[in-house]
């Protein structure tokens, strides 16, 4: 006789099938934590329990359709998928409470995939990562507030939400909000004369995570309210973590007393990633999403897509989507063709002067020597390198490049390109140098655009 619980129910079978089709890390982190509720499930309803709202929301958003399809394959019926939290009877009550007052949530707008484990650490972000992890482990004790700053798409929001997800897993009350959402909420409660609810939401949490604080600039009334919110939390030893695109003293239109408070704890900047870090980020993204890209494609994306990690990840998603729709393998030619317009835009804003400046700095050769007629080996190598990069990273034609370097005609450029290609074939270290230079040039170009 088979005892109850010794067999695998249909819900377990479906999750076992799903395991075969998704990345192992996603299965372990989310799907494995689901429990199929046989008592409350019906032929047209499949009910799962999740340990918290983060897991429930993530599974529902990303895999509900897939789970539904797998149920259909098992018994021919396509049920509605519901994912609750905790005991069944409490779930509906909790959902109704959350709809009535969003402030009852333990967090808002956290992406469960943004964790410390999924963050790629390199020289450019090591300090920010270490301090963020320390704050997560000892909130309100070490660095309060923690102020993370850096350019667009470098990982500030990832670290901010990693701190939040760390504490959600511990059952703490976390409020994550962008500054824009904070301002909208403030304005709405001010108009409806319900400021007590607004203050309860933002001042009675364990952690307050504020993204893009630079938009507080010039908003006097909002600054006043945020000042008092900050003081309440700080005095209660509640952790505050803030991100911005620049250091507090560089944010114009911010009152001095707020600047001063932002500097009370610790400020950590995130620099643009080096080539090795970008390659590691691409590899990690591919691993998590089950996307196969060979090393040539990864290097191509890393060296040509600037330093915005979100843009790089978007490029990978785009390649995978196109490959799936066209039923074609992702080759280097496929990738180059798919993102040629993005690369064209970058090329149009890179000048040969930019290239010569970076090459001269990295190879320790004066810019004037690179453009001169000198024939010493180090100058010739630097000149060829600059020519090769100018041909690949700018829209300039060979005659235009020849004119810039004071050469007779385009045949000299063609000869230099041929020589560089021969060296690349036989010298892996030189190829890596070119990749690193390309990365620095694209990164510098991206940073220049941000400063316009």
């Amino acid at each position: 006789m088979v005892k109850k619980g010794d067999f695998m129910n249909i819900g377990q079978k479906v999750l076992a099938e799903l395991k075969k089709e998704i990345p192992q890390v996603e299965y372990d982190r989310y799907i494995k934590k689901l429990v199929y509720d046989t008592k409350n499930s019906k032929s047209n309803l499949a009910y799962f329990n999740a340990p918290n709202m983060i897991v429930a929301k993530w599974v529902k958003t990303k895999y509900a359709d897939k789970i539904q399809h797998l149920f259909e394959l098992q018994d021919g019926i396509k049920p509605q998928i519901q994912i609750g939290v905790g005991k069944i009877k409490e779930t509906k009550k909790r959902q109704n409470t959350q709809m009535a007052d969003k402030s009852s949530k333990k967090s808002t707008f956290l992406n469960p995939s943004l964790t410390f484990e999924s963050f790629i650490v390199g020289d450019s972000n090591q300090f920010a990562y270490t301090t963020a992890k320390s704050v997560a482990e000892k909130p309100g004790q070490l660095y309060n507030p923690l102020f993370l700053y850096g350019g667009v798409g470098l990982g500030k929001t990832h670290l901010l939400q990693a701190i939040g997800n760390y504490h959600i897993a511990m059952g703490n009350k976390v409020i994550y909000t962008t500054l824009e959402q904070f301002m909208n909420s403030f304005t709405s409660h001010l108009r409806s004369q319900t400021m007590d609810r607004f203050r309860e939401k933002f001042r009675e949490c364990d952690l307050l995570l504020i993204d893009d604080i630079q938009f507080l600039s010039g908003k006097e009334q909002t600054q006043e309210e945020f000042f008092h919110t900050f003081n309440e939390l700080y005095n209660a030893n509640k952790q505050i973590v803030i991100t911005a695109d620049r250091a507090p003293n560089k944010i114009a239109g911010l009152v001095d007393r707020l600047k001063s408070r932002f500097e009370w704890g610790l400020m950590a900047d995130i620099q643009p990633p080096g080539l090795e870090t970008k390659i590691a980020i691409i590899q990690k993204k591919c691993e998590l999403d089950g996307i196969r890209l060979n090393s040539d494609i990864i290097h191509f994306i890393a060296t040509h897509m600037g330093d915005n990690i979100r843009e790089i990840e978007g490029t990978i998603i785009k390649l995978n989507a196109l490959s799936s729709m066209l039923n074609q393998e992702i080759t280097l030619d496929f990738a180059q063709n798919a993102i040629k317009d993005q690369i064209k835009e970058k090329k149009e804003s890179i000048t040969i002067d930019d290239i010569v400046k970076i090459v001269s700095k990295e190879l320790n050769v004066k810019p004037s020597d690179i453009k001169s007629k000198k024939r010493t080996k180090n100058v010739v190598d630097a000149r060829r390198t600059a020519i090769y990069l100018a041909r690949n990273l700018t829209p300039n034609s060979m005659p235009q490049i020849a004119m810039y370097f004071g050469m007779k005609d385009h045949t000299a450029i063609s000869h230099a390109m041929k020589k560089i290609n021969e060296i690349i074939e036989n010298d892996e270290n030189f190829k890596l140098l070119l990749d690193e230079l390309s990365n620095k040039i694209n990164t510098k170009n991206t940073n220049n655009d941000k400063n316009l």
Side-chain angles (χ1 to χ4, degrees):
M1 181 177 177
V2 179
K3 295 179 181 179
K4 185 179 180 182
D6 285 350
F7 62 92
M8 181 179 285
N9 62 47
I10 187 171
Q12 291 173 306
K13 289 179 182 178
V14 164
L15 296 185
E17 289 300 313
L18 182 61
K19 181 180 180 181
K20 300 174 184 177
E21 302 183 23
I22 67 174
Q24 183 66 38
V25 66
E26 290 191 1
Y27 176 81
D28 290 339
R29 188 174 292 159
Y30 306 108
I31 304 301
K32 189 177 180 180
K33 297 176 181 179
L34 296 180
V35 176
Y36 183 63
D37 189 332
T38 54
K39 184 177 180 181
N40 289 277
S41 295
K42 303 174 183 177
S43 60
N44 63 346
L45 172 67
Y47 203 108
F48 291 90
N49 274 315
N52 56 55
M53 285 300 295
I54 296 294
V55 172
K57 183 178 179 181
W58 187 90
V59 176
K60 182 73 173 176
T61 301
K62 188 163 185 178
Y63 283 122
D65 290 344
K66 185 68 177 174
I67 292 172
Q68 192 177 51
H69 175 65
L70 290 172
F71 266 100
E72 187 177 23
L73 293 179
Q74 288 289 330
D75 65 1
I77 298 175
K78 197 172 184 179
Q80 179 186 353
I81 306 299
Q82 285 193 14
I83 302 170
V85 178
K87 295 179 180 179
I88 307 304
K89 292 180 180 179
E90 293 177 355
T91 301
K92 191 169 183 179
K93 180 180 178 182
R94 184 182 294 111
Q95 289 173 336
N96 291 337
T97 301
Q98 289 170 339
M99 291 178 65
D101 184 359
K102 291 184 179 181
S103 67
S104 66
K105 292 183 179 180
K106 286 188 176 180
S107 74
T108 51
F109 306 110
L110 282 173
N111 181 339
S113 67
L114 299 181
T115 64
F116 288 114
E117 291 75 19
S118 62
F119 189 84
I120 301 298
V121 183
D123 292 341
S124 60
N125 58 30
Q126 175 74 60
F127 181 63
Y129 170 83
T130 302
T131 53
K133 204 161 188 303
S134 297
V135 160
E137 292 168 353
K138 296 182 178 180
Q141 299 179 42
L142 292 175
Y143 315 117
N144 199 17
L146 174 61
F147 193 102
L148 302 171
Y149 68 96
V152 176
L154 298 185
K156 302 184 302 297
T157 298
H158 190 140
L159 288 178
L160 191 68
Q161 294 207 24
I163 295 171
N165 282 319
Y166 184 94
H167 280 272
I168 286 295
M170 296 169 61
N172 292 331
K173 186 175 182 181
V174 178
I175 294 294
Y176 164 79
T177 181
T178 65
L179 197 280
E180 181 183 10
Q181 290 162 350
F182 181 89
M183 288 193 298
N184 290 341
S185 181
F186 171 65
T187 303
S188 175
H189 283 285
L190 195 63
R191 286 174 178 169
S192 61
Q193 297 183 334
T194 55
M195 284 301 296
D196 54 333
R197 290 177 59 190
F198 174 85
R199 288 168 182 146
E200 179 183 353
K201 174 181 178 178
F202 286 101
R203 298 183 189 183
E204 295 185 7
C205 59
D206 298 305
L207 288 93
L208 177 61
L209 312 175
I210 301 281
D211 219 348
D212 291 325
I213 201 71
Q214 70 271 9
F215 294 120
L216 197 56
S217 174
K219 308 295 191 301
E220 293 181 9
Q221 201 170 1
T222 310
Q223 286 190 41
E224 179 72 20
E225 184 61 35
F226 186 75
F227 173 79
H228 294 298
T229 296
F230 182 101
N231 284 346
E232 287 280 340
L233 292 170
Y234 184 86
N235 291 333
N237 292 321
K238 303 299 185 181
Q239 183 65 51
I240 305 162
V241 187
I242 298 166
T243 74
D245 62 357
R246 69 205 82 163
N249 61 1
K250 298 288 181 64
I251 301 176
L254 196 64
V255 295
D256 288 342
R257 60 181 181 173
L258 272 178
K259 288 183 182 179
S260 172
R261 276 160 176 74
F262 292 163
E263 294 171 353
W264 276 357
L266 183 69
M267 293 185 293
D269 69 326
I270 302 179
Q271 295 294 324
L275 183 61
E276 288 185 6
T277 303
K278 286 205 289 186
I279 289 171
I281 289 169
I282 295 169
Q283 290 171 334
K284 184 70 172 181
K285 178 66 176 174
C286 291
E287 176 191 335
L288 291 174
D289 291 356
I291 300 170
R292 293 184 179 180
L293 299 180
N294 65 37
S295 59
D296 288 340
I297 299 170
I298 290 173
H299 273 78
F300 175 75
I301 295 171
T303 55
H304 287 83
M305 290 304 299
D307 62 4
N308 189 319
I309 304 306
R310 282 200 293 270
E311 186 177 358
I312 290 172
E313 291 180 340
T315 296
I316 297 168
I317 293 169
K318 176 182 177 181
L319 288 177
N320 190 50
L322 284 173
S323 171
S324 178
M325 285 189 291
L326 300 174
N327 196 27
Q328 290 185 24
E329 180 186 357
I330 304 176
T331 63
L332 182 59
D333 286 342
F334 181 92
Q336 290 172 333
N337 187 60
I339 60 178
K340 63 184 179 183
D341 289 340
Q342 290 169 271
I343 293 174
K344 182 182 177 183
E345 288 178 11
K346 293 182 183 299
K347 280 187 174 184
E348 288 174 349
S349 55
I350 296 174
T351 67
I352 304 179
D353 277 338
D354 295 331
I355 291 171
V356 169
K357 286 176 185 176
I358 289 177
V359 170
S360 67
K361 180 180 179 182
E362 295 297 317
L363 301 185
N364 198 26
V365 176
K366 293 179 181 178
S368 57
D369 287 346
I370 292 176
K371 296 172 68 175
S372 73
K373 302 292 185 181
K374 286 186 178 181
R375 302 295 301 170
T376 55
K377 186 179 185 308
N378 65 327
V379 172
V380 170
D381 289 344
R383 186 180 301 125
R384 283 176 178 163
T385 299
I387 288 170
Y388 178 88
L389 294 169
R391 186 71 180 124
N392 283 281
L393 301 181
T394 76
N396 291 285
S397 64
M398 286 199 286
Q400 289 171 321
I401 296 171
M403 184 180 298
Y404 179 91
F405 287 98
M407 294 176 169
K408 187 175 180 180
D409 55 34
H410 72 279
T411 56
I413 301 300
S414 180
H415 177 74
M417 292 293 294
K418 182 180 178 181
K419 184 65 178 177
I420 287 287
N421 282 318
E422 288 175 359
I423 297 172
I424 290 172
E425 287 292 323
N426 299 303
D427 189 341
E428 183 64 24
N429 289 332
F430 183 69
K431 182 178 182 301
L432 291 174
L433 172 65
L434 288 176
D435 286 343
E436 190 62 60
L437 288 169
S438 297
N439 177 57
K440 288 181 182 293
I441 291 162
N442 279 306
T443 295
K444 180 179 183 298
N445 176 59
T446 304
N447 290 337
N448 286 341
D449 289 345
K450 290 172 194 168
N451 293 328
L452 293 178

